[in-house]
Amino acid sequence: MPQDLTTVRVLIVDDNAHMRSILKTVLDTAGIHDVREAADGSMALMILSSWRADVAVVDYHMAPMNGIELTKRLRSPEDSPDPTLPVVMITGHADTQRVLEARQAGITEFVVKPVTAKNVLEKLNAALGKRSRAAPPQQRVHWVG
């Protein structure tokens, strides 16, 4: 668990305003106050282009860009401001096929609905721990000559 949660920056991506509010309250109670919200994947990418998050909490089912599509875009060095950003997926779908699809897309951790504060914070901390052990994003080198 990070020593100082007040320094953690979280992006919540969910098309349900009530769920974003619940997650924000859970984070706020844990001392995480630097939180941004997006109602869809496109808005999330726009936010991340100008603000660096430590972790994203993403809903599975959104339109027009769902959580899987967003994660694939995040993992693509050509499309992403941070390909190593940990992604915690919130989902009501825990069947094996969807879990495999999400893992292949690059999801770091899962929280199955109904969410609890304990579960959200455990998965968030696990994802943050994986980020700290991950290699830094590779810098692109453009050769001139």
Side-chain angles (χ1 to χ4, degrees):
M1 186 162 197
Q3 293 289 21
D4 184 8
L5 291 177
T6 61
T7 64
V8 175
R9 296 173 308 265
V10 179
L11 175 62
I12 299 171
V13 188
D14 198 314
D15 58 352
N16 183 315
H18 182 66
M19 182 56 86
R20 289 194 312 268
S21 177
I22 290 169
L23 291 169
K24 191 161 178 15
T25 299
V26 167
L27 298 175
D28 193 56
T29 302
I32 301 171
H33 305 296
D34 195 354
V35 177
R36 306 276 169 98
E37 298 178 36
D40 63 51
S42 298
M43 185 184 295
L45 290 171
M46 200 165 60
I47 290 169
L48 290 170
S49 71
S50 62
W51 179 75
R52 184 172 167 91
D54 294 308
V55 63
V57 179
V58 176
D59 186 35
Y60 180 94
H61 186 69
M62 297 181 289
M65 183 188 299
N66 70 28
I68 298 292
E69 293 164 342
L70 170 59
T71 303
K72 286 178 180 177
R73 294 276 304 271
L74 286 172
R75 296 293 176 247
S76 169
E78 294 80 27
D79 295 333
S80 177
D82 186 358
T84 64
L85 179 69
V87 178
V88 177
M89 178 162 279
I90 306 280
T91 181
H93 308 284
D95 59 274
T96 304
Q97 183 58 35
R98 290 190 192 214
V99 170
L100 286 174
E101 177 188 19
R103 286 286 186 205
Q104 290 171 348
I107 297 297
T108 313
E109 292 290 336
F110 286 91
V111 176
V112 179
K113 293 177 184 177
V115 301
T116 65
K118 181 180 186 273
N119 200 331
V120 169
L121 294 173
E122 283 175 356
K123 297 300 183 174
L124 188 80
N125 280 306
L128 288 167
K130 289 176 183 175
R131 169 68 170 244
S132 66
R133 291 189 304 271
Q138 291 184 329
Q139 297 294 321
R140 289 185 179 199
V141 177
H142 298 281
W143 295 98
V144 180

